[in-house]
C-alpha cells in the first residue's frame, strides 16, 4: 500500500495498532500527499505529521481488545507552516 499514489484519495484507513514509529512515519509521509480536506482514520496511533489534525478520537472494543480510533483531516499547506 505504501507504493501506491494516494494523492487523489478522499479517505484512507489503516489499522496501525501494531505499527512502530518508523512505519507510522512512512505512513504519514505517504498520507501527506493527499489533498487538503481529505480524511485518514487510524487505530491506536496518530499520524505523526503537522499536515494532519485529529478531529475526533474515541476508544472502541475490537476483536483483539480496546483501541483508540483517530479521525484526522488533512490541513492546507499554508496552515502547516
Amino acid at each position: 500500500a505504501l507504493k501506491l499514489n494516494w494523492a487523489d484519495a478522499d479517505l484512507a484507513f489503516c489499522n496501525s495498532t501494531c505499527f512502530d514509529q518508523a512505519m507510522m512515519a512512512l505512513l504519514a509521509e505517504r498520507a501527506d500527499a493527499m489533498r487538503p480536506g481529505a480524511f485518514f482514520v487510524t487505530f491506536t496511533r496518530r499520524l505523526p505529521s503537522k499536515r494532519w489534525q485529529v478531529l475526533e478520537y474515541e476508544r472502541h472494543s475490537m476483536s483483539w481488545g480496546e483501541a483508540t480510533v483517530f479521525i484526522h483531516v488533512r490541513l492546507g499547506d499554508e496552515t502547516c507552516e
Side-chain angles (χ1 to χ4, degrees):
L2 292 175
K3 294 179 182 180
L4 299 174
N5 181 349
W6 299 354
D8 292 335
D10 292 320
L11 172 67
F13 165 77
C14 188
N15 185 345
S16 51
T17 296
C18 295
F19 289 4
D20 61 15
Q21 289 180 340
M23 179 61 84
M24 289 302 295
L26 288 172
L27 185 68
E29 182 180 318
R30 181 58 68 189
D32 284 350
M34 294 170 69
R35 65 170 184 77
F39 295 94
F40 204 113
V41 179
T42 60
F43 284 1
T44 306
R45 301 176 186 272
R46 298 174 187 212
L47 287 173
S49 172
K50 294 180 181 178
R51 290 188 167 95
W52 292 89
Q53 177 183 7
V54 174
L55 292 178
E56 190 171 334
Y57 64 95
E58 189 172 278
R59 301 231 355 127
H60 288 275
S61 295
M62 305 295 172
S63 61
W64 65 87
E66 294 285 315
T68 303
V69 177
F70 292 95
I71 301 173
H72 307 75
V73 65
R74 172 69 160 81
L75 301 173
D77 290 329
E78 67 284 348
T79 310
C80 305
E81 298 174 0

Coordinates of all heavy atoms in Angstrom, one line a residue:
A1 N 0.8 -1.2 0.0 CA 0.0 0.0 0.0 C 0.9 1.3 0.0 O 0.4 2.3 -0.5 CB -0.9 0.0 1.2
L2 N 2.0 1.2 0.6 CA 2.9 2.4 0.6 C 3.5 2.7 -0.7 O 4.1 3.8 -0.9 CB 4.0 2.2 1.7 CG 3.5 2.2 3.1 CD1 4.7 1.9 4.0 CD2 2.9 3.5 3.5
K3 N 3.4 1.8 -1.7 CA 3.9 2.0 -3.0 C 2.9 2.7 -3.9 O 3.2 3.2 -5.0 CB 4.4 0.7 -3.7 CG 5.5 0.1 -3.0 CD 5.9 -1.2 -3.6 CE 7.1 -1.8 -2.9 NZ 7.5 -3.1 -3.5
L4 N 1.6 2.8 -3.5 CA 0.6 3.4 -4.3 C 0.5 4.9 -4.1 O 1.0 5.5 -3.1 CB -0.8 2.8 -3.9 CG -1.0 1.3 -4.0 CD1 -2.3 0.9 -3.4 CD2 -0.9 0.9 -5.5
N5 N 0.0 5.6 -5.1 CA -0.2 7.0 -5.1 C -1.5 7.4 -4.4 O -2.6 7.0 -4.9 CB -0.1 7.6 -6.5 CG -0.2 9.1 -6.5 OD1 -0.6 9.8 -5.5 ND2 0.0 9.7 -7.6
W6 N -1.5 8.0 -3.3 CA -2.7 8.4 -2.5 C -3.2 9.8 -2.8 O -4.1 10.2 -2.1 CB -2.5 8.2 -1.1 CG -2.1 6.8 -0.6 CD1 -2.0 5.7 -1.3 CD2 -1.7 6.5 0.7 NE1 -1.6 4.6 -0.6 CE2 -1.5 5.1 0.7 CE3 -1.6 7.2 1.9 CZ2 -1.1 4.4 1.8 CZ3 -1.2 6.5 3.1 CH2 -1.0 5.1 3.0
A7 N -2.6 10.5 -3.7 CA -2.9 11.9 -3.9 C -4.4 12.2 -4.2 O -4.9 13.2 -3.8 CB -2.0 12.5 -5.0
D8 N -5.1 11.3 -4.9 CA -6.5 11.5 -5.2 C -7.4 11.0 -4.2 O -8.6 11.1 -4.4 CB -6.8 10.9 -6.6 CG -6.1 11.6 -7.7 OD1 -5.7 12.8 -7.6 OD2 -5.8 10.9 -8.7
A9 N -6.9 10.4 -3.1 CA -7.8 9.7 -2.1 C -8.5 10.8 -1.3 O -7.9 11.8 -0.9 CB -7.0 8.8 -1.2
D10 N -9.8 10.6 -1.0 CA -10.5 11.4 -0.1 C -10.6 10.9 1.3 O -10.8 11.6 2.3 CB -12.0 11.6 -0.6 CG -12.1 12.4 -1.9 OD1 -11.3 13.4 -2.0 OD2 -12.8 12.0 -2.8
L11 N -10.4 9.6 1.4 CA -10.5 8.9 2.7 C -9.5 7.7 2.7 O -9.5 6.9 1.7 CB -11.9 8.4 3.0 CG -12.1 7.5 4.2 CD1 -11.9 8.2 5.5 CD2 -13.5 6.9 4.2
A12 N -8.8 7.5 3.8 CA -7.9 6.4 3.9 C -8.1 5.8 5.3 O -8.4 6.5 6.3 CB -6.4 6.7 3.7
F13 N -7.9 4.5 5.4 CA -8.0 3.8 6.7 C -6.8 2.9 6.9 O -6.3 2.3 6.0 CB -9.2 3.0 6.8 CG -9.2 2.0 8.0 CD1 -9.4 2.4 9.3 CD2 -8.9 0.6 7.7 CE1 -9.3 1.5 10.3 CE2 -8.8 -0.3 8.8 CZ -9.0 0.2 10.0
C14 N -6.2 2.9 8.1 CA -5.1 2.0 8.4 C -5.2 1.5 9.8 O -5.3 2.3 10.8 CB -3.8 2.7 8.2 SG -2.4 1.6 8.4
N15 N -5.3 0.2 10.0 CA -5.3 -0.4 11.3 C -3.8 -0.5 11.8 O -3.1 -1.4 11.5 CB -5.9 -1.8 11.3 CG -6.0 -2.4 12.7 OD1 -5.4 -1.9 13.6 ND2 -6.7 -3.5 12.8
S16 N -3.4 0.6 12.4 CA -2.0 0.8 12.7 C -1.6 0.4 14.1 O -0.6 0.8 14.6 CB -1.7 2.3 12.5 OG -2.6 3.1 13.2
T17 N -2.4 -0.4 14.8 CA -2.2 -0.8 16.2 C -0.8 -1.3 16.4 O -0.2 -1.0 17.4 CB -3.3 -1.8 16.6 OG1 -4.6 -1.1 16.5 CG2 -3.1 -2.3 18.0
C18 N -0.3 -2.2 15.5 CA 1.0 -2.8 15.8 C 2.1 -2.1 15.0 O 3.2 -2.6 15.0 CB 0.9 -4.3 15.3 SG -0.2 -5.2 16.4
F19 N 1.9 -0.9 14.5 CA 3.0 -0.2 13.7 C 3.9 0.4 14.7 O 3.5 1.0 15.7 CB 2.4 0.8 12.8 CG 1.6 0.3 11.6 CD1 1.5 -1.1 11.4 CD2 1.1 1.1 10.6 CE1 0.8 -1.6 10.3 CE2 0.5 0.7 9.5 CZ 0.3 -0.7 9.4
D20 N 5.2 0.4 14.4 CA 6.2 1.1 15.2 C 6.3 2.6 14.6 O 5.7 2.9 13.7 CB 7.5 0.4 15.2 CG 8.2 0.2 13.8 OD1 7.8 0.9 12.8 OD2 9.1 -0.6 13.7
Q21 N 7.2 3.4 15.3 CA 7.3 4.8 14.9 C 7.8 4.9 13.5 O 7.4 5.8 12.7 CB 8.3 5.5 15.8 CG 7.7 5.7 17.2 CD 8.6 6.4 18.1 OE1 9.8 6.4 17.9 NE2 8.1 7.0 19.2
A22 N 8.7 4.0 13.0 CA 9.3 4.1 11.7 C 8.2 3.9 10.6 O 8.1 4.6 9.6 CB 10.4 3.1 11.5
M23 N 7.3 2.9 10.9 CA 6.2 2.6 10.0 C 5.2 3.7 9.9 O 4.7 4.1 8.9 CB 5.5 1.3 10.3 CG 4.4 0.9 9.4 SD 4.9 0.7 7.7 CE 5.4 -1.0 7.7
M24 N 4.9 4.3 11.1 CA 4.0 5.4 11.2 C 4.6 6.6 10.4 O 3.8 7.4 9.8 CB 3.7 5.8 12.6 CG 2.8 4.8 13.3 SD 1.2 4.5 12.5 CE 0.4 6.0 12.7
A25 N 5.9 6.8 10.5 CA 6.5 7.9 9.7 C 6.4 7.7 8.2 O 6.1 8.7 7.5 CB 8.0 8.1 10.1
L26 N 6.5 6.5 7.8 CA 6.4 6.2 6.3 C 4.9 6.4 5.9 O 4.6 6.9 4.9 CB 6.8 4.8 6.0 CG 8.3 4.5 6.1 CD1 8.5 3.0 6.0 CD2 9.0 5.2 4.9
L27 N 4.0 6.0 6.8 CA 2.6 6.1 6.5 C 2.2 7.6 6.4 O 1.5 8.1 5.5 CB 1.8 5.5 7.6 CG 0.2 5.4 7.5 CD1 -0.1 4.5 6.3 CD2 -0.4 4.9 8.8
A28 N 2.7 8.4 7.3 CA 2.4 9.9 7.3 C 3.0 10.5 6.1 O 2.4 11.4 5.5 CB 3.0 10.5 8.6
E29 N 4.2 10.1 5.7 CA 4.8 10.7 4.5 C 4.0 10.4 3.3 O 3.8 11.3 2.5 CB 6.2 10.0 4.3 CG 7.0 10.6 3.1 CD 8.4 9.9 3.0 OE1 9.0 9.7 4.0 OE2 8.7 9.6 1.9
R30 N 3.5 9.2 3.1 CA 2.6 8.9 2.0 C 1.3 9.7 2.1 O 0.7 10.2 1.2 CB 2.3 7.4 2.0 CG 1.5 6.9 0.8 CD 2.0 7.3 -0.5 NE 3.2 6.5 -0.8 CZ 4.0 6.8 -1.8 NH1 3.7 7.7 -2.7 NH2 5.1 6.1 -2.0
A31 N 0.7 9.7 3.3 CA -0.6 10.4 3.6 C -0.5 11.9 3.3 O -1.4 12.6 2.9 CB -1.0 10.2 5.0
D32 N 0.7 12.5 3.5 CA 0.9 13.9 3.3 C 0.6 14.4 1.8 O 0.4 15.5 1.6 CB 2.3 14.4 3.7 CG 2.5 14.5 5.2 OD1 1.5 14.4 5.9 OD2 3.6 14.6 5.7
A33 N 0.7 13.4 0.9 CA 0.4 13.7 -0.5 C -1.1 13.9 -0.8 O -1.5 14.3 -1.8 CB 1.0 12.6 -1.4
M34 N -1.9 13.5 0.2 CA -3.4 13.6 0.0 C -3.8 15.1 0.0 O -3.1 15.9 0.6 CB -4.1 12.8 1.1 CG -3.9 11.3 0.9 SD -4.5 10.3 2.4 CE -6.3 10.5 2.2
R35 N -4.9 15.4 -0.6 CA -5.3 16.8 -0.8 C -5.9 17.3 0.6 O -6.3 16.5 1.4 CB -6.4 16.9 -1.8 CG -7.7 16.1 -1.4 CD -8.9 16.4 -2.3 NE -10.1 15.8 -1.8 CZ -10.8 16.2 -0.8 NH1 -10.5 17.3 -0.2 NH2 -11.9 15.6 -0.4
P36 N -5.8 18.6 0.8 CA -6.4 19.2 1.9 C -7.9 18.9 2.0 O -8.5 18.9 1.0 CB -6.1 20.7 1.7 CG -4.9 20.8 0.9 CD -5.0 19.6 0.0
G37 N -8.3 18.6 3.2 CA -9.7 18.2 3.4 C -10.0 16.7 3.4 O -11.1 16.3 3.7
A38 N -9.0 16.0 3.0 CA -9.1 14.5 3.0 C -9.1 14.0 4.4 O -8.6 14.7 5.3 CB -8.0 13.9 2.2
F39 N -9.6 12.8 4.6 CA -9.7 12.2 6.0 C -8.8 10.9 6.0 O -8.7 10.2 5.0 CB -11.1 11.8 6.3 CG -12.0 13.0 6.4 CD1 -12.8 13.4 5.4 CD2 -12.1 13.7 7.6 CE1 -13.6 14.6 5.5 CE2 -13.0 14.8 7.7 CZ -13.7 15.2 6.7
F40 N -8.3 10.7 7.2 CA -7.5 9.5 7.4 C -7.9 8.9 8.8 O -7.9 9.7 9.8 CB -6.0 9.8 7.4 CG -5.1 8.6 7.0 CD1 -4.5 8.6 5.8 CD2 -5.0 7.5 7.9 CE1 -3.7 7.5 5.5 CE2 -4.2 6.5 7.6 CZ -3.6 6.4 6.4
V41 N -8.2 7.7 8.8 CA -8.6 7.0 10.1 C -7.5 6.0 10.5 O -7.1 5.2 9.6 CB -10.0 6.3 9.9 CG1 -10.4 5.6 11.2 CG2 -11.1 7.2 9.5
T42 N -7.0 6.1 11.7 CA -6.0 5.2 12.2 C -6.5 4.6 13.5 O -7.4 5.2 14.2 CB -4.7 5.8 12.4 OG1 -4.8 6.9 13.4 CG2 -4.1 6.4 11.1
F43 N -5.9 3.5 13.9 CA -6.2 2.8 15.2 C -5.0 2.9 16.0 O -3.8 2.7 15.6 CB -6.5 1.3 15.0 CG -7.9 1.0 14.5 CD1 -8.8 2.0 14.2 CD2 -8.3 -0.3 14.3 CE1 -10.1 1.7 13.7 CE2 -9.5 -0.6 13.9 CZ -10.4 0.4 13.5
T44 N -5.2 3.3 17.3 CA -4.2 3.3 18.4 C -3.1 4.4 18.3 O -2.8 5.0 19.3 CB -3.4 1.9 18.4 OG1 -4.4 0.9 18.5 CG2 -2.5 1.9 19.6
R45 N -2.7 4.8 17.1 CA -1.6 5.8 16.9 C -2.1 6.9 16.0 O -2.8 6.6 15.0 CB -0.4 5.2 16.3 CG 0.2 4.1 17.2 CD 1.4 3.4 16.5 NE 1.9 2.3 17.2 CZ 2.8 2.3 18.2 NH1 3.3 3.5 18.5 NH2 3.2 1.2 18.8
R46 N -1.7 8.1 16.3 CA -2.0 9.3 15.4 C -1.0 9.3 14.3 O 0.2 8.8 14.4 CB -1.9 10.6 16.2 CG -2.8 10.7 17.4 CD -2.5 11.9 18.2 NE -3.4 11.9 19.4 CZ -3.9 12.9 20.0 NH1 -3.5 14.1 19.5 NH2 -4.6 12.8 21.0
L47 N -1.3 10.0 13.2 CA -0.4 10.3 12.2 C 0.7 11.3 12.7 O 0.3 12.4 13.1 CB -1.0 10.8 10.9 CG -1.9 9.9 10.1 CD1 -2.6 10.6 9.0 CD2 -1.0 8.8 9.5
P48 N 2.0 11.0 12.6 CA 3.0 11.9 13.1 C 3.3 12.9 12.0 O 4.4 12.9 11.4 CB 4.2 11.0 13.4 CG 4.0 9.9 12.4 CD 2.5 9.7 12.2
S49 N 2.4 13.9 11.8 CA 2.6 14.9 10.7 C 1.9 16.2 11.1 O 0.7 16.1 11.6 CB 2.1 14.4 9.4 OG 2.1 15.4 8.4
K50 N 2.5 17.3 10.9 CA 1.9 18.6 11.2 C 0.8 18.9 10.1 O 0.0 19.8 10.3 CB 2.9 19.7 11.2 CG 3.9 19.6 12.3 CD 4.9 20.7 12.3 CE 5.9 20.5 13.4 NZ 6.9 21.6 13.4
R51 N 0.7 18.1 9.0 CA -0.3 18.3 8.0 C -1.6 17.7 8.3 O -2.6 17.9 7.6 CB 0.2 17.8 6.7 CG 1.4 18.6 6.1 CD 1.7 18.2 4.7 NE 2.6 19.1 4.1 CZ 3.9 19.0 4.1 NH1 4.5 18.0 4.7 NH2 4.6 19.9 3.5
W52 N -1.7 17.0 9.4 CA -2.9 16.3 9.8 C -3.4 16.7 11.2 O -2.6 16.8 12.1 CB -2.7 14.8 9.8 CG -2.5 14.3 8.4 CD1 -1.4 14.2 7.7 CD2 -3.6 13.9 7.5 NE1 -1.6 13.7 6.5 CE2 -2.9 13.5 6.3 CE3 -4.9 13.8 7.6 CZ2 -3.6 13.1 5.2 CZ3 -5.6 13.3 6.5 CH2 -5.0 13.0 5.3
Q53 N -4.6 17.0 11.3 CA -5.2 17.4 12.6 C -6.2 16.3 13.0 O -7.0 15.8 12.2 CB -6.0 18.7 12.5 CG -6.7 19.1 13.8 CD -7.4 20.4 13.6 OE1 -7.6 21.0 12.5 NE2 -7.9 21.0 14.7
V54 N -6.2 15.9 14.3 CA -7.1 15.0 14.8 C -8.4 15.7 15.1 O -8.5 16.6 15.9 CB -6.6 14.3 16.1 CG1 -7.7 13.4 16.7 CG2 -5.4 13.5 15.8
L55 N -9.5 15.3 14.4 CA -10.8 15.9 14.6 C -11.5 15.3 15.8 O -12.2 15.9 16.5 CB -11.7 15.7 13.4 CG -11.3 16.4 12.1 CD1 -12.3 16.1 11.0 CD2 -11.3 17.9 12.4
E56 N -11.3 13.9 15.9 CA -12.0 13.2 17.0 C -11.3 11.9 17.3 O -10.6 11.4 16.4 CB -13.4 12.9 16.5 CG -14.3 12.3 17.6 CD -15.8 12.2 17.1 OE1 -16.2 13.0 16.2 OE2 -16.5 11.3 17.7
Y57 N -11.3 11.5 18.5 CA -10.8 10.2 18.9 C -11.6 9.6 20.0 O -12.2 10.3 20.8 CB -9.3 10.3 19.3 CG -9.0 11.1 20.5 CD1 -8.9 10.4 21.8 CD2 -8.9 12.4 20.5 CE1 -8.7 11.2 22.9 CE2 -8.6 13.2 21.6 CZ -8.5 12.5 22.8 OH -8.3 13.3 23.9
E58 N -11.7 8.3 20.0 CA -12.6 7.6 20.9 C -12.1 6.1 21.0 O -11.7 5.5 20.0 CB -14.0 7.6 20.4 CG -15.1 7.2 21.4 CD -16.5 7.5 20.8 OE1 -16.9 8.6 21.0 OE2 -17.0 6.5 20.3
R59 N -12.2 5.5 22.2 CA -11.9 4.1 22.4 C -13.1 3.3 22.0 O -14.2 3.6 22.3 CB -11.5 3.9 23.8 CG -10.3 4.7 24.3 CD -9.2 4.1 24.9 NE -9.1 2.7 25.3 CZ -8.1 2.0 24.9 NH1 -7.1 2.4 24.1 NH2 -8.0 0.7 25.4
H60 N -12.8 2.2 21.3 CA -13.8 1.2 20.9 C -13.3 -0.2 21.2 O -12.1 -0.5 21.1 CB -14.1 1.4 19.4 CG -14.8 2.6 19.1 ND1 -16.2 2.7 19.2 CD2 -14.4 3.8 18.7 CE1 -16.6 3.9 18.8 NE2 -15.5 4.6 18.5
S61 N -14.2 -1.1 21.4 CA -13.9 -2.5 21.5 C -13.7 -3.1 20.2 O -14.5 -3.0 19.3 CB -15.0 -3.3 22.2 OG -15.1 -2.8 23.6
M62 N -12.6 -3.8 20.0 CA -12.2 -4.6 18.8 C -12.2 -6.0 19.1 O -12.2 -6.4 20.3 CB -10.9 -4.1 18.2 CG -10.8 -2.6 18.0 SD -11.9 -2.1 16.7 CE -11.8 -0.3 16.8
S63 N -12.0 -6.9 18.1 CA -11.9 -8.3 18.4 C -10.7 -8.7 19.2 O -10.7 -9.7 19.9 CB -11.9 -9.1 17.0 OG -10.8 -8.7 16.3
W64 N -9.7 -7.9 19.2 CA -8.4 -8.1 19.9 C -8.4 -7.4 21.2 O -7.4 -7.5 22.0 CB -7.2 -7.8 19.1 CG -7.1 -6.3 18.7 CD1 -6.5 -5.4 19.5 CD2 -7.6 -5.7 17.6 NE1 -6.7 -4.1 18.9 CE2 -7.3 -4.3 17.7 CE3 -8.3 -6.1 16.5 CZ2 -7.7 -3.3 16.8 CZ3 -8.7 -5.1 15.5 CH2 -8.4 -3.8 15.7
G65 N -9.3 -6.5 21.5 CA -9.3 -5.7 22.7 C -9.7 -4.3 22.4 O -10.3 -4.0 21.4
E66 N -9.3 -3.3 23.3 CA -9.7 -1.9 23.1 C -8.6 -1.2 22.2 O -7.5 -1.6 22.2 CB -9.6 -1.2 24.5 CG -10.7 -1.7 25.4 CD -12.1 -1.1 25.1 OE1 -12.2 0.1 24.7 OE2 -13.0 -1.9 25.1
A67 N -9.1 -0.3 21.4 CA -8.2 0.5 20.5 C -8.8 1.9 20.4 O -10.1 2.1 20.4 CB -8.1 -0.1 19.2
T68 N -8.0 2.9 20.3 CA -8.4 4.3 20.1 C -8.5 4.5 18.6 O -7.5 4.2 17.9 CB -7.4 5.3 20.8 OG1 -7.3 5.0 22.1 CG2 -7.9 6.7 20.6
V69 N -9.6 5.0 18.2 CA -9.8 5.3 16.8 C -9.6 6.8 16.6 O -10.2 7.6 17.3 CB -11.2 4.9 16.3 CG1 -11.5 5.3 14.9 CG2 -11.5 3.4 16.5
F70 N -8.7 7.2 15.7 CA -8.4 8.6 15.4 C -8.9 9.0 14.1 O -8.6 8.3 13.1 CB -6.9 8.8 15.5 CG -6.2 8.7 16.8 CD1 -5.7 7.5 17.2 CD2 -6.2 9.8 17.7 CE1 -5.1 7.3 18.4 CE2 -5.6 9.6 19.0 CZ -5.1 8.4 19.3
I71 N -9.7 10.1 14.0 CA -10.1 10.6 12.7 C -9.4 11.9 12.5 O -9.5 12.8 13.2 CB -11.6 10.8 12.7 CG1 -12.4 9.5 13.0 CG2 -12.1 11.5 11.4 CD1 -13.9 9.7 13.2
H72 N -8.5 11.9 11.4 CA -7.7 13.0 11.0 C -8.3 13.7 9.8 O -8.9 13.1 9.0 CB -6.3 12.6 10.7 CG -5.6 11.7 11.6 ND1 -5.9 10.4 11.8 CD2 -4.6 12.0 12.5 CE1 -5.1 9.9 12.7 NE2 -4.3 10.8 13.1
V73 N -8.0 15.0 9.7 CA -8.3 15.8 8.5 C -7.0 16.4 8.0 O -6.2 16.9 8.8 CB -9.4 16.8 8.7 CG1 -9.0 17.9 9.6 CG2 -9.9 17.4 7.3
R74 N -6.8 16.4 6.7 CA -5.6 16.9 6.1 C -5.8 18.4 6.0 O -6.7 19.0 5.5 CB -5.4 16.4 4.7 CG -4.3 17.0 3.8 CD -2.9 16.7 4.3 NE -1.9 16.9 3.3 CZ -1.4 18.1 3.0 NH1 -1.8 19.2 3.5 NH2 -0.5 18.1 2.0
L75 N -4.8 19.2 6.6 CA -4.8 20.6 6.6 C -4.3 21.2 5.3 O -3.5 20.5 4.6 CB -4.0 21.1 7.8 CG -4.4 20.7 9.2 CD1 -3.4 21.1 10.2 CD2 -5.8 21.2 9.5
G76 N -4.6 22.4 5.0 CA -4.0 23.1 3.9 C -2.5 23.4 4.2 O -2.1 23.6 5.3
D77 N -1.7 23.4 3.2 CA -0.3 23.6 3.3 C 0.1 24.9 4.0 O 1.0 25.0 4.8 CB 0.5 23.5 2.0 CG 0.5 22.0 1.5 OD1 0.4 21.1 2.3 OD2 0.4 21.9 0.3
E78 N -0.7 25.9 3.8 CA -0.5 27.2 4.4 C -0.7 27.2 5.9 O -0.1 27.9 6.7 CB -1.3 28.3 3.8 CG -2.8 28.2 4.0 CD -3.5 27.2 3.2 OE1 -3.0 26.7 2.2 OE2 -4.7 26.9 3.5
T79 N -1.6 26.2 6.4 CA -1.9 26.1 7.8 C -0.7 25.4 8.5 O -0.6 25.5 9.7 CB -3.2 25.3 8.0 OG1 -4.2 25.8 7.2 CG2 -3.6 25.2 9.4
C80 N 0.1 24.6 7.8 CA 1.1 23.7 8.4 C 2.4 24.4 8.7 O 3.3 23.9 9.3 CB 1.3 22.5 7.5 SG -0.2 21.6 7.1
E81 N 2.6 25.6 8.2 CA 3.9 26.2 8.3 C 4.1 27.0 9.6 O 3.2 27.2 10.3 CB 4.1 27.2 7.1 CG 4.0 26.5 5.8 CD 4.1 27.4 4.6 OE1 4.1 28.6 4.8 OE2 4.1 26.9 3.5

